[in-house]
Amino acid sequence: MSERNAEIYRKTAETDVHVAIGLDGTGISEIDTGIGFFDHMLTLFASHGRFDLTVKCDGDIEVDGHHSVEDIGITMGQAFHAALGEKRGITRYGSFYLPMDETLVLAALDISGRPFLVYDPGDTPMTPMIGGYDTELTEEFLRAFAFHAGITLHVKILYGTNSHHKVEAVFKALAHALRIAVEKDVRLGDMIPSTKGVL
């Protein structure tokens, strides 16, 4: 039975967020953010990462989606960090190229304890909205997640024209890179994968 699970509640004047994550799951998810396209992205994230994921958010989407998407990123990052614990035996690094029709995205990351984000959306501007989802919020989610998960994250949209494909490829690439990085390396045993002895 895996112990790499965590549950986090975060409540502000703008959002009420509940996240539960299991890193050694099968991709089962229960997602309700109030933003249909974002629900779709988090469902794909869970499925491709093989993470069991619950995300519930009651946010001020009558204003816009910014507070909800950012606060979900924060809470998911906190849950991911908590589920990893001391990070003993993990692969630590992960990278993945994700093709989706005409689009290609690279996600590369280090579960380093040193939060950082480099996000390159490519040369072709995205359409401002996909359904009720503001495409600018992709970067906000990635930043919130990376900084609260304690990971160094680089995401680059190498090329593509369809905004739906580009955002979806970002979430899928991130999921696959994380899946690789959290996998246990049997050669490490219970060691922490750093010459410093701590991550």
Side-chain angles (χ1 to χ4, degrees):
M1 184 85 172
S2 171
E3 296 179 356
R4 299 200 302 173
N5 306 296
E7 190 169 16
I8 301 289
Y9 292 87
R10 172 183 167 85
K11 185 175 176 62
T12 73
E14 298 163 340
T15 62
D16 188 350
V17 183
H18 167 227
V19 169
I21 192 167
L23 300 182
D24 302 302
T26 59
I28 297 169
S29 63
E30 187 176 354
I31 313 294
D32 183 9
T33 70
I35 304 168
F37 183 77
F38 191 45
D39 287 356
H40 181 44
M41 293 302 98
L42 295 182
T43 300
L44 292 170
F45 172 86
S47 178
H48 284 261
R50 298 295 185 263
F51 306 128
D52 290 342
L53 181 65
T54 298
V55 178
K56 300 286 188 182
C57 178
D58 181 12
D60 57 354
I61 55 174
E62 72 281 358
V63 177
D64 69 6
H66 191 288
H67 298 144
S68 291
V69 172
E70 183 177 29
D71 285 5
I72 289 167
I74 290 170
T75 313
M76 282 181 59
Q78 290 172 340
F80 186 86
H81 184 268
L84 275 173
E86 292 184 323
K87 311 178 186 74
R88 292 184 179 277
I90 64 168
T91 300
R92 177 177 166 177
Y93 294 94
S95 62
F96 202 83
Y97 283 96
L98 197 295
M100 186 168 183
D101 296 350
E102 87 298 341
T103 294
L104 184 65
V105 169
L106 168 66
L109 60 91
D110 175 13
I111 302 175
S112 60
R114 298 188 304 276
F116 204 87
L117 173 68
V118 176
Y119 174 66
D120 183 349
D123 297 329
T124 305
M126 288 196 207
T127 185
M129 300 293 292
I130 303 173
Y133 176 81
D134 180 347
T135 55
E136 288 186 346
L137 297 181
T138 303
E139 182 174 4
E140 297 304 318
F141 171 82
L142 294 173
R143 180 178 295 107
F145 177 79
F147 273 70
H148 289 269
I151 66 175
T152 300
L153 174 62
H154 292 245
V155 174
K156 180 176 178 62
I157 300 175
L158 285 89
Y159 47 80
T161 56
N162 183 289
S163 297
H164 186 132
H165 293 166
K166 289 194 281 189
V167 176
E168 184 166 330
V170 165
F171 278 86
K172 287 179 176 177
L174 173 62
H176 280 278
L178 284 169
R179 180 179 171 184
I180 293 165
V182 303
E183 282 293 316
K184 291 296 187 79
D185 184 338
V186 294
R187 292 172 297 177
L188 274 174
D190 201 37
M191 293 174 59
I192 292 173
S194 171
T195 54
K196 298 175 183 177
V198 65
L199 284 173

